[in-house]
Amino acid sequence: MSDRTRNFDEIAKLPAPSDNAAIATERLEAGTTVERDGSRFTIPHTILEGHRFAAEKILAGGELLSWSLPFGEALGEVSPGEYLCNEKILKALSERNVDFDLPEKPNFRDTELTAFDLDKENFRSGSQVSVHENPGTFRGYRRTGNRGVGTRNFIVIIGATSRTGGFAKALEWNLRDAAKGHENIDGIVAVAHTEGGEEETPNNLELLLRTLAGFVVNPNVEAALVIDEGAGAVNNDALRSYMEENGYPVEDVPHHFMSLGRSFGLDLKAGEEIVRGWLDEVGSIRRTEEPLSELKIALQCGGSDAFSGVSANPVSAWVAKEVIRNGGSAVLAETDELIGAESYVLENVRSLDVAERFLSMVERFKERVGWHGHTAEGNPSGGNNYRGLYNISIKSIGAATKRDPEVRLDDVIEYAELLGGPGFHFMDSPGNDLESVAGEVASGCNMIFFTTGNGSITNFPFVPTVKVVTTTGRYELLENEMDVNAGAYLDGEPLEEVGQNMLERTIRSASGEKTAGEKAGHSQVSIWRNWRQTGTENLERLKNAPAPDGEPLPLVVDAPGSDRTFEAIRTSQGYGADQVGLIMPTSLCSGQISLRISDHMNERVRERGFAEGKLSRFAALPHTEGCGSSGGASEALYLRTVLGHLAHPLVRFGLLLEHGCEKTHNDYFRARLEEAGLEPEHFGWASVQLDGGIEKVISRVEEWFENMMEESPDLEYETSGLEHLRLGLDASGPLTEEAARTFAALTAAVVGAGGTVVVPERSGLLGSEAYLAGTVGEVRNTLSHGEAVGIPGFHVMESPTSDPMEAATGLGATGVEIMAAHVSGRPLTAHRMVPLLQVSSDGETIERYGEDLDAVFEGDPDTDTEVLLDSVLDVASRRYTPRLFGRGNVGFQFTRGLLGVSM
């Protein structure tokens, strides 16, 4: 056999004997000859590892099969060895700039997604695997009441809504060393999320309350502090009532519902006192020998590839089967990632009712995304495509193998619904990894099996994640981030042997041995995000809404001349108020790593004068988007907001940090930067997965910034006038006429001098006749949400939701360098990169939050305008840092607009 001739079994995998689509187990170069069953064929195009080729001749109109299930239809006759490509995969590979010639056109179309037809007349109930006579044990934390057994022992700080997430994270930071000396406490962790921050009642209200309630009573939680603002549709009273009405054993958990109502510092002190008061009690809990029936396994996949369904998922399914045979539970989720695989899921099911409930949830999911103009076909990410998952059908077929064929589907539950008895369960959820995991944790899961092909590093704060990677190559690349190499099964080791090793690893982890993710020390939470539509009646209007024209609104007043100045920095874009190093994660899964890097680099700035003369600070913008969400208008909105921050006047050096398997990966952004007229080579690029894991990518990112600073001249400073100011203005809560006139005078001074002011459309300023009379009279939107200002002047930015953090994030992308807000009530959370000045004229606000405010209005617009302008110029000259911004009460949150949904 020549060097270019290979045996089929050495280079390909057929998931089922009847399949006609083979998976390449390595890269196959064009011209390779393949021998199979005494015949030969040639590979005409280079085929990437994990991609499929025809294992035999397929006639025009014939079905392409994997796991004996169809995923495509041949557009013409397909010869053995041909690269199987649909239109989407050719586009995805073209964007990746692969180093070989691609086929000129697709040779198959996707199998049409149709509702599964359940044969009710011939339905037969399935049987569950038998339970071992002598079940195994692990060492866990037995909880009081009926909460089960924890695999960890945590104190959890829960932000009830997105508005208190920044506070929860700040409190977590203050308590980072509090548990030292208490060896039985695994940690004090915060749960911050994106939900419940709007003024209106969200469509996902019940789902959100159910998730928060489940977090509180999860067996890995021994004490919980829940923090709200005391108002809004989502608050502690609503959560407490929900838990009582639905029988949650909240009284079995040491807990406290805390409402913020004092200054940031005093509330932090109060929160610390509550948590510190639990330390001795929580630390006194000891592990005891407990039956494996107390294990509740969340089955999850992320960054999947073509091998997920032939290695990692079957291995995890085998271990889940063993847990069930020991009396435990396992939970399958990700509804849209089972569309097309319904026949496999329902091969073994407890009852007709369970089967019908499963199918109804699938149809409900399709209907909900349809309200927003999407289909489930939008689920596979760019990373999925690149690693061989061509469409939702083939992704679903592989995802479904997290159920072992011998295991029966026993029950179907809503997202975050508490588990009932033992066995195998399905939970409704989106395919978004983090949102799905959160629901499984809220349902009571105390361990997570996370299978991954690309090498996802995802972890949850208080439930250990056992990460199972599909191939030996990826395991070796990311050994410090992965727990189990399922590639050993792909390489020829027996399933039972690989599964037994993973089961033993699981028992050790459940008994306290840290997983790779816990050793790495990072985690994140995302709850199923709110969906904005409840039907299709507004769909066409929203899809066809005209975009703002970008033209500023003219002032209707004579702007007073001003000779006020600030110390600006000369930049490549003109003049700036500051210069920072930005780390922009391209998706949710690289967000916490970006924050970890920026925190470390800012420590170097403070302690050793690092970056002196080059930058003042570093910023990272962790978020929840870039993967696991719909395309279309919401993706365009996300893209626009990311690009606005990358090209921001404050940013001297910007680096994009990809996870590696997301929808909006680095190559995606390279193409989008070029389309926007920005030079990709001006930015840094790093990949958590492709650079070899967390520690390696941290070194790469820091080295890039060090090189950029070494090669760049020192900053130059110059006195500048108001024409170079770019301000974002807002008002939260009631606004007096005098305060409105003060903000109007500031607006007129800056815009009249040639500068820029941007106000979000939902701002209280635009509801004030006094403000409008002193500025532009009537208003209309001039900028899309997150659109960078092209022409200086007065602008109104679209703001599709009432969440203040989403508005601030959009404002940041417009290019404003300082934000200023009048607040009546609790001060706002600041943008992570753009400083926020907060002022008030409200007596109660001043009394309660005075030490958080940057200025207090006395009621004389002339005097107050000078006070406000002085504060703005002090920030612009870097002489003053706004109080809450400096204390870390910061956040960042993309909106999905009105048509974005989780997938």
Side-chain angles (χ1 to χ4, degrees):
M1 193 177 291
S2 70
D3 292 342
R4 299 296 297 275
T5 301
R6 306 291 301 278
N7 184 280
F8 180 87
D9 293 333
E10 294 175 351
I11 54 87
K13 181 83 172 178
L14 287 174
S18 60
D19 290 349
N20 57 14
I23 304 172
T25 54
E26 60 183 71
R27 173 169 164 152
L28 301 177
E29 299 298 334
T32 299
T33 298
V34 179
E35 285 194 350
R36 185 188 184 208
D37 296 335
S39 63
R40 290 189 173 195
F41 55 83
T42 301
I43 303 293
H45 292 90
T46 296
I47 300 173
L48 289 174
E49 178 192 47
H51 286 236
R52 283 170 166 80
F53 64 91
E56 59 192 55
K57 183 168 71 174
I58 305 172
L59 298 178
E63 291 182 331
L64 278 63
L65 303 174
S66 264
W67 290 277
S68 302
L69 295 173
F71 67 90
E73 177 187 324
L75 295 172
E77 184 173 292
V78 180
S79 300
E82 277 194 45
Y83 201 155
L84 295 175
C85 294
N86 59 3
E87 185 175 346
K88 183 176 184 180
I89 209 70
L90 288 177
K91 180 180 178 182
L93 293 178
S94 297
E95 192 170 76
R96 291 283 189 163
N97 298 313
V98 294
D99 61 352
F100 56 87
D101 293 332
L102 294 166
E104 293 182 0
K105 59 183 180 180
N107 54 13
F108 80 90
R109 69 168 64 93
D110 295 342
T111 295
E112 184 179 351
L113 297 176
T114 58
F116 179 76
D117 185 15
L118 180 64
D119 185 356
K120 298 180 184 180
E121 290 186 7
N122 295 308
F123 177 85
R124 295 292 182 271
S125 296
S127 59
Q128 188 57 281
V129 292
S130 59
V131 176
H132 289 307
E133 290 184 7
N134 299 302
T137 63
F138 73 104
R139 294 188 61 78
Y141 295 99
R142 170 64 63 177
R143 303 304 183 194
T144 58
N146 196 32
R147 289 206 298 133
V149 176
T151 62
R152 295 294 182 269
N153 194 37
F154 276 99
I155 297 173
V156 178
I157 303 163
I158 301 173
T161 73
S162 60
R163 296 189 184 220
T164 54
F167 179 89
K169 296 298 287 186
L171 182 56
E172 175 192 55
W173 176 256
N174 282 9
L175 291 164
R176 62 192 180 278
D177 296 325
K180 287 184 176 179
H182 296 271
E183 63 179 5
N184 293 316
I185 299 179
D186 289 295
I188 301 168
V189 295
V191 170
H193 59 87
T194 59
E195 299 309 288
E198 299 180 45
E199 295 171 2
E200 305 86 4
T201 300
N203 290 325
N204 68 344
L205 175 62
E206 182 173 1
L207 176 155
L208 175 56
L209 293 174
R210 193 162 61 231
T211 306
L212 297 176
F215 286 170
V216 172
V217 301
N218 182 280
N220 284 9
V221 176
E222 178 55 22
L225 173 62
V226 186
I227 301 163
D228 76 346
E229 288 189 319
V234 183
N235 56 55
N236 283 345
D237 286 341
L239 178 58
R240 184 188 292 110
S241 296
Y242 181 87
M243 296 183 77
E244 291 172 352
E245 291 167 5
N246 289 278
Y248 283 81
V250 64
E251 295 307 321
D252 293 331
V253 188
H255 67 279
H256 188 94
F257 290 103
M258 173 182 173
S259 293
L260 303 180
R262 293 171 288 183
S263 70
F264 191 67
L266 288 176
D267 277 336
L268 280 176
K269 183 179 179 181
E272 286 185 46
E273 289 177 354
I274 293 168
V275 173
R276 290 183 187 278
W278 286 328
L279 291 175
D280 289 341
E281 179 182 356
V282 176
S284 68
I285 307 296
R286 298 288 187 271
R287 288 185 182 271
T288 54
E289 204 71 23
E290 300 291 345
L292 287 180
S293 59
E294 294 292 351
L295 285 186
K296 298 177 176 64
I297 308 295
L299 297 171
Q300 192 66 213
C301 57
S304 300
D305 69 0
F307 302 110
S308 293
V310 293
S311 65
N313 288 344
V315 169
S316 296
W318 189 93
V319 180
K321 177 177 67 175
E322 286 303 302
V323 170
I324 292 170
R325 294 192 69 192
N326 279 275
S329 305
V331 183
L332 180 67
E334 300 178 287
T335 306
D336 50 328
E337 295 188 5
L338 296 173
I339 295 172
E342 295 93 340
S343 61
Y344 177 84
V345 175
L346 298 178
E347 277 181 348
N348 187 2
V349 61
R350 180 174 61 85
S351 67
L352 180 61
D353 177 64
V354 171
E356 289 180 324
R357 282 193 288 132
F358 170 75
L359 292 174
S360 71
M361 285 185 175
V362 170
E363 293 307 308
R364 182 177 67 180
F365 192 98
K366 289 194 279 189
E367 180 184 33
R368 183 180 293 144
V369 299
W371 294 339
H372 300 78
H374 307 291
T375 70
E377 186 53 63
N379 172 286
S381 71
N384 293 151
N385 296 153
Y386 190 56
R387 295 278 290 172
L389 295 180
Y390 294 177
N391 55 34
I392 188 59
S393 295
I394 207 162
K395 184 175 182 180
S396 293
I397 296 166
T401 61
K402 291 193 291 291
R403 182 190 68 81
D404 187 276
E406 296 180 15
V407 168
R408 183 183 68 186
L409 175 61
D410 289 311
D411 197 13
V412 172
I413 62 174
E414 296 287 351
Y415 181 87
E417 180 183 346
L418 290 179
L419 290 171
F424 193 84
H425 307 258
F426 169 75
M427 182 196 77
D428 183 34
S429 85
N432 182 300
D433 311 336
L434 296 183
E435 294 181 14
S436 185
V437 165
E440 291 175 308
V441 169
S443 77
C445 289
N446 53 13
M447 290 285 291
I448 300 164
F449 288 173
F450 196 102
T451 63
T452 179
N454 287 270
S456 177
I457 61 167
T458 297
N459 299 287
F460 196 83
F462 57 86
V463 177
T465 301
V466 176
K467 286 195 284 296
V468 188
V469 69
T470 61
T471 61
T472 298
R474 277 287 158 145
Y475 180 79
E476 291 173 347
L477 178 66
L478 297 163
E479 191 168 0
N480 291 333
E481 322 303 336
M482 300 293 116
D483 297 285
V484 177
N485 175 24
Y489 172 46
L490 196 64
D491 297 339
E493 289 188 27
L495 174 61
E496 293 76 11
E497 184 177 321
V498 179
Q500 184 62 38
N501 289 337
M502 180 176 165
L503 176 62
E504 292 170 4
R505 178 71 175 87
T506 299
I507 294 171
R508 295 198 305 273
S509 296
S511 300
E513 182 179 297
K514 287 189 174 183
T515 63
E518 289 176 305
K519 292 174 184 176
H522 77 94
S523 60
Q524 56 218 116
V525 177
S526 189
I527 296 171
W528 194 343
R529 293 200 69 175
N530 189 29
W531 52 92
R532 308 288 304 183
Q533 305 304 314
T534 56
T536 59
E537 56 271 14
N538 296 316
L539 182 57
E540 290 305 312
R541 176 180 61 82
L542 293 172
K543 288 171 65 176
N544 298 311
D549 59 15
E551 293 286 334
L553 299 175
L555 293 175
V556 296
V557 295
D558 293 328
S562 176
D563 58 0
R564 299 297 302 275
T565 61
F566 67 101
E567 186 184 42
I569 299 173
R570 226 183 211 298
T571 73
S572 59
Q573 301 183 49
Y575 296 90
D578 203 353
Q579 290 288 269
V580 306
L582 173 64
I583 305 165
M584 172 59 77
T586 63
S587 71
L588 61 168
C589 292
S590 56
Q592 293 307 308
I593 306 305
S594 73
L595 193 60
R596 180 168 163 179
I597 297 170
S598 68
D599 286 346
H600 180 247
M601 297 185 80
N602 280 326
E603 283 181 17
R604 295 174 65 185
V605 170
R606 290 189 294 269
E607 295 173 4
R608 288 171 280 178
F610 177 65
E612 187 172 357
K614 309 289 185 177
L615 299 169
S616 69
R617 56 191 166 92
F618 292 86
L621 303 176
H623 56 84
T624 62
E625 302 307 302
C627 206
S629 57
S630 54
S634 58
E635 183 178 326
L637 192 159
Y638 162 73
L639 171 64
R640 185 168 62 236
T641 310
V642 171
L643 295 184
H645 284 90
L646 288 170
H648 198 283
L650 290 178
V651 176
R652 188 179 194 191
F653 308 126
L655 177 141
L656 293 93
L657 177 64
E658 72 170 9
H659 185 214
C661 55
E662 57 265 71
K663 184 178 185 179
T664 55
H665 44 75
N666 278 350
D667 286 334
Y668 170 95
F669 273 109
R670 284 190 180 95
R672 304 295 89 76
L673 285 167
E674 289 179 345
E675 292 169 359
L678 300 170
E679 299 292 337
E681 59 267 25
H682 291 170
F683 298 91
W685 304 88
S687 173
V688 177
Q689 292 171 1
L690 297 182
D691 287 329
I694 295 172
E695 294 307 320
K696 289 181 180 178
V697 81
I698 289 174
S699 297
R700 179 183 174 92
V701 171
E702 294 197 5
E703 182 180 356
W704 183 83
F705 278 110
E706 289 166 358
N707 290 339
M708 292 300 294
M709 289 186 288
E710 186 177 337
E711 296 168 2
S712 303
D714 284 353
L715 298 174
E716 297 181 9
Y717 303 89
E718 190 172 320
T719 300
S720 180
L722 301 186
E723 68 274 16
H724 294 300
L725 280 180
R726 303 176 185 88
L727 302 182
L729 301 182
D730 200 358
S732 174
L735 184 69
T736 64
E737 181 178 338
E738 291 77 13
R741 288 168 55 195
T742 297
F743 271 77
L746 174 66
T747 300
V750 172
V751 173
T756 294
V757 169
V758 184
V759 179
E761 68 169 311
R762 291 174 179 257
S763 172
L765 291 173
L766 301 183
S768 166
E769 293 182 5
Y771 179 76
L772 294 178
T775 53
V776 294
E778 296 183 357
V779 296
R780 60 176 173 82
N781 294 336
T782 65
L783 298 173
S784 297
H785 184 94
E787 179 183 357
V789 170
I791 305 172
F794 182 87
H795 288 277
V796 178
M797 181 195 75
E798 286 181 335
S799 189
T801 77
S802 59
D803 189 298
M805 196 69 259
E806 293 183 359
T809 298
L811 275 182
T814 68
V816 300
E817 298 176 271
I818 300 166
M819 299 183 196
H822 181 279
V823 293
S824 291
R826 185 169 176 265
L828 300 170
T829 300
H831 187 287
R832 283 190 175 275
M833 186 174 80
V834 182
L836 169 66
L837 282 163
Q838 305 204 58
V839 302
S840 187
S841 59
D842 177 67
E844 184 177 352
T845 299
I846 294 168
E847 181 179 353
R848 297 178 71 177
Y849 304 106
E851 66 179 63
D852 295 337
L853 301 173
D854 299 292
V856 171
F857 288 169
E858 300 295 335
D860 176 18
D862 292 335
T863 302
D864 292 340
T865 300
E866 288 301 309
V867 169
L868 183 55
L869 183 54
D870 285 345
S871 297
V872 167
L873 296 177
D874 281 345
V875 175
S877 301
R878 300 158 308 285
R879 293 188 295 263
Y880 176 73
T881 300
R883 290 179 176 179
L884 289 182
F885 178 78
R887 293 173 186 167
N889 188 25
V890 294
F892 187 82
Q893 181 173 314
F894 288 114
T895 181
R896 288 184 179 168
L898 300 178
L899 294 177
V901 287
S902 299
M903 298 181 72

